[in-house]
Amino acid sequence: MLQRRRNKLSQGSLWTASFFLLGCAAPSAESARAASDTIAPLQAAASITADEMRAHIAVLSSDELRGRETPSPGLERAAAYLAAEFERLGLEPLGDGGTFLQRYPFPLISLPAESVKLELSVGSLRRVLAYGGDYAVEPGATGEADVALVFAAGGVPPGAGGALAGTAVLVDLPGRVGATWEAARNAARAAAAAAGARAILFVLDPAIGADWLAGFARWMARPARQFGGLPEIPSFYLRDGAARELVRAAGAELEALRALGGENQTRPLPLAGARAHFLVRPQVLDDAQPPNVVALLPGSDPALRDSYVIFSAHMDHLGVGPADATGDSIYNGADDDASGTAALLEIAEAFAMLSPRPARSLIFLAVSGEEKGLLGSAHFTARPPIPLGQVVANFNIDMIGRNAPDSVVAVGAEYTTLGGLAREVAAQHPDLGLTVADDPWPEERFFFRSDHFHFAEHGVPALFVFAGVHQDYHQPSDEVDRVDADKAARIARLLFYAGNEVATGAATPHWTERGSAELAPLWAR
């Protein structure tokens, strides 16, 4: 039985009290607008209170949600709570099928050794390769096939069309494993699938030895989640020596084929009589589809309503894990990132109260999978419900409820004009009691570690608002009673004011010279 550090409200009483406070005591945005023809930003900002922030955080970080792991029933409860709040505010759903939820595939997959086979043949010569010795494999949707083998020295050629239909394509994958290597792998696999290939066989750099292949095979045998589901085709990773033996049996030499094809090849090169017979049957242990929650507040200006300001925060955390010294094993994530998610709700409520509404449209995005590698934001930016080119700014909010009560960090302030805007707002509103600081931890590379990164990757000016880590970071002790709800509310008001400057069209963010220079490689991908 799980033991808790302190006596807490029972699950039922917590949810009842919080819903009463948020749903009954606080007037809805609709009723507030009905009471007055005009509600100015100062009035709307006043609706962002420490009490409401604390109540939202208490719900999202309650034991009942069991740490909101991606995926989990607790995460689903959090998503349902957020969707209900957005609906209460009169926002429009921007998820799948007219709902507030946008889901992405994240199945649990295992690939035991007995589910894998690769046999290469040239004429009467046949060789069954050793899994984990000669090759390893990442599964795809294809199960079993016996197909001709072709070679593409410079990768799958542009405009290949259906030239690879009914084949397995052999492709060089030079270099060591890393981000560049993975990007090249993903691009080649996608191109091969689009050209009709049934599988892709990567020839590994000779520096990648048998130990890596064996380790990869062991890793694939363990149940693991696959973001985005299975690729269209399987990827085989072939030891350089095994590839050379195959090509030599087909009457050629690998280096000669590389020279003949080169980077300017326009067609794949056939390998005389060479065929690949493969079997890949992964076990799908569950077919989870975690949610993002997406809400829209349409803009009021016909000329600007098709441009968007996005506020984002991640609603997930670490779930249930190793117990601490007190026996507490629920990682509640009150600061990380129930605090940012609560701010998202409060900012949405303030904007929904405004009358007249801002000129630009606003999107409020609660993503999941941040703790698994920024998955929800990756999915949103890959399959956005609106054109990303029409998004003028992203304010991302993560961990705003701890540390010094009078400061907040604007990570990435040097890259866009949003940092200067946040500082101007803080100066114009001394009642907030906040200093907006530049990133004091550049060595931590926080700009590349939260959900705004995927917006920046697509050229959207983005600012990451963050109050820093602390001793309870990623610990069961990150609980609501340790959060400074007043600080979190003041940061939310700061973001409301800054976002309103952009949403009214008074400010149009852009990249600074430094941001353009340092982040241009992202946009060139």
Side-chain angles (χ1 to χ4, degrees), residues 35 75 114 119 162 169 204 230 363 378 422 455 469 520:
L75 180 71
E114 60 270 20
E119 180 181 284
V169 58
L204 295 173
L230 288 169
I363 292 173
F455 290 97
V469 299

Side-chain angles (χ1 to χ4, degrees), residues 209-257:
D211 288 347
W212 184 88
L213 288 167
F216 191 90
R218 288 193 299 271
W219 180 76
M220 289 305 302
R222 295 195 299 265
R225 294 204 174 270
Q226 178 86 31
F227 173 57
L230 288 169
E232 290 186 59
I233 59 174
S235 300
F236 292 86
Y237 301 100
L238 200 59
R239 183 173 53 81
D240 178 81
R244 290 180 183 278
E245 292 172 19
L246 169 72
V247 171
R248 190 171 294 120
E253 292 294 333
L254 195 56
E255 294 303 333
L257 288 179

Side-chain angles (χ1 to χ4, degrees), residues 109 138-144 189 198-199 229-235 278 280-282 284:
I109 294 168
E138 186 177 359
T142 304
E144 185 171 11
R189 181 170 57 202
R198 299 292 301 277
L230 288 169
E232 290 186 59
I233 59 174
S235 300
F278 63 87
V280 183
R281 288 198 177 131
V284 180

Side-chain angles (χ1 to χ4, degrees), residues 110-176:
S110 172
L111 188 66
E114 60 270 20
S115 300
V116 180
K117 178 182 177 182
L118 177 61
E119 180 181 284
L120 301 177
S121 63
V122 179
S124 60
L125 177 65
R126 309 181 74 84
R127 182 180 172 195
V128 178
L129 275 66
Y131 183 51
D134 293 319
Y135 75 101
V137 63
E138 186 177 359
T142 304
E144 185 171 11
D146 191 314
V147 294
L149 193 61
V150 298
F151 181 68
V156 178
L164 299 180
T167 69
V169 58
L170 194 67
V171 176
D172 280 320
L173 187 59
R176 290 184 176 274

Side-chain angles (χ1 to χ4, degrees), residues 9 12-22 55 59:
L9 287 170
S13 63
L14 173 62
W15 281 69
T16 300
S18 299
F19 274 116
F20 178 81
L21 173 61
L22 298 169
V59 171

